[in-house]
Amino acid sequence: NDLEVRMARNSLRTSPLFLALLLLFPAAAFAASAKTSMRLLYPSFAGSWATAWIAKEAGYFLDEGLDVELIRVGGSTRMVAAMLGGSAPIIQAGAIAALTATAAGADVVIIGATGTVSPFRLMARPEIVQPADLKGKKAGITTFGSTSDQVLRIALKKFNLEPTKDVAILTFGAQPEAFAALQSGIVQVAALSYPLYPKAVKLGMRELVNFGDLGIEDINGTVITTRTFIAQQRDTALRFLRAFTRGIHRYRTDKEFSKKVLGKYGKLNDEEILEGTWQDYAPTLQRSPRPSLKAIQFMIENQFPGKKPLPKPEQFVDTSLVEQLEKSGFIDSINK
């Protein structure tokens, strides 16, 4: 009966063998009972978001006692709203969406990033021979306030074209949908990253701008949370960032494993695209996931033109977690 079962369980828990096992394996016993479940939202299957996939597939999150569920939600602005609504404590999204939300008074902060080289190309349909041909045409982005929105506006300014006035801007929620709109002719230009821009090249599309060649420091693979989450669950945030940093190192140093993960999450089996994706991102990854204040300053100047005084980049980031990992020697230890 139930009483006998409870008595048997209590007898087992106080037996010398059980207590000896706990003494021998205390960490394993703690990890099994203290695993933290959490969600991480990311915007697309682009290589710039693959670090978290790699950390999960390599078991680094589990090593930190985290059971992380990865969920794709198209559009950085949408993901910030989802995080603030309680859907996930941490997201990976375009930095510009975090800046816009923070400037509006939301509890949003950037705690990490994977690189400073922009992965975007501005791709145009074959009939667009020169930038001037874009006047009166349509451009595709993910969402307003996203990274693709920002880089498009930078390019149009470079071409002396006025966004929305000279070139209409349409939103499609995510890069694959923007790519499909470019392919079908709904839009004539779109900001795309790997592996979509080489697909566009194969279809005869023309590269107008390689943003990585402009010499502008970028911030990509951005990790975003809230100051409230850091204050209330700092240890969880730190464990997440520790596993994430190991994922960056694995991405940069283990090409074959990284390509397998890219293929799994991106549903790709094209060896040329997988190789190209790794070559496009891995060499640019940082050893430490420290967000670039210089890149954020550039974004502020473009996002808030004419605003005086301009916000300081430090208002949008919390580098204390990265600094803790750096000072502890953890980052140096995994990059030996």
Side-chain angles (χ1 to χ4, degrees), residues 38 89-90 107 225-234 236-237:
M38 62 182 290
I90 299 176
D107 180 15
T225 187
T226 64
R227 294 187 188 277
T228 299
F229 181 73
I230 296 172
Q232 295 178 350
Q233 299 191 51
R234 183 180 180 87
T236 301

Side-chain angles (χ1 to χ4, degrees), residues 76-137:
S76 295
T77 304
R78 188 184 304 168
M79 281 193 296
V80 169
M83 178 183 70
L84 292 173
S87 294
I90 299 176
I91 64 172
Q92 273 201 279
I96 195 67
L99 266 64
T100 304
T102 303
D107 180 15
V108 177
V109 67
I110 295 169
I111 60 170
T114 59
T116 60
V117 179
S118 176
F120 279 91
R121 309 291 208 273
L122 191 67
M123 303 302 300
R125 288 185 58 80
E127 60 266 26
I128 305 299
V129 178
Q130 55 190 355
D133 297 337
L134 289 174
K135 191 165 186 177
K137 301 298 193 296

Side-chain angles (χ1 to χ4, degrees), residues 16-236:
L17 175 60
F18 185 79
L19 294 174
L21 288 171
L22 284 180
L23 289 172
L24 285 171
F25 306 109
F30 175 79
S33 63
K35 192 177 295 181
T36 302
S37 296
M38 62 182 290
R39 290 174 173 172
L40 172 73
L41 310 184
Y42 65 94
S44 73
F45 294 120
S48 52
W49 310 114
T51 297
W53 314 341
I54 290 168
K56 181 176 176 68
E57 295 300 314
Y60 299 151
F61 288 129
L62 289 176
D63 289 346
E64 296 291 340
L66 301 176
D67 182 10
V68 177
E69 180 185 6
L70 303 177
I71 301 174
R72 182 196 168 215
V73 178
S76 295
T77 304
R78 188 184 304 168
M79 281 193 296
V80 169
M83 178 183 70
L84 292 173
S87 294
I90 299 176
I91 64 172
Q92 273 201 279
I96 195 67
L99 266 64
T100 304
T102 303
D107 180 15
V108 177
V109 67
I110 295 169
I111 60 170
T114 59
T116 60
V117 179
S118 176
F120 279 91
R121 309 291 208 273
L122 191 67
M123 303 302 300
R125 288 185 58 80
E127 60 266 26
I128 305 299
V129 178
Q130 55 190 355
D133 297 337
L134 289 174
K135 191 165 186 177
K137 301 298 193 296
K138 297 172 184 174
I141 62 169
T142 56
T143 57
F144 290 118
S146 66
T147 305
S148 63
D149 184 21
Q150 186 203 26
V151 297
L152 172 68
R153 291 173 189 270
I154 291 170
L156 293 179
K157 187 184 294 185
K158 179 181 173 67
F159 301 148
N160 295 315
L161 294 169
E162 187 71 26
T164 70
K165 180 181 177 182
D166 294 328
V167 180
I169 302 176
L170 306 182
T171 62
F172 295 93
Q175 277 197 60
E177 288 75 12
F179 171 76
L182 180 69
Q183 186 178 0
S184 65
I186 294 174
V187 299
Q188 288 72 49
V189 67
L192 303 173
S193 61
Y194 217 98
L196 294 175
Y197 77 75
K199 287 185 178 180
V201 170
K202 286 185 176 181
L203 292 172
M205 308 295 176
R206 193 184 308 276
E207 181 182 298
L208 296 182
V209 180
N210 177 345
F211 292 96
D213 291 341
L214 294 183
I216 300 169
E217 193 159 309
D218 195 14
I219 176 171
N220 51 54
T222 320
V223 182
I224 302 166
T225 187
T226 64
R227 294 187 188 277
T228 299
F229 181 73
I230 296 172
Q232 295 178 350
Q233 299 191 51
R234 183 180 180 87
D235 182 63
T236 301

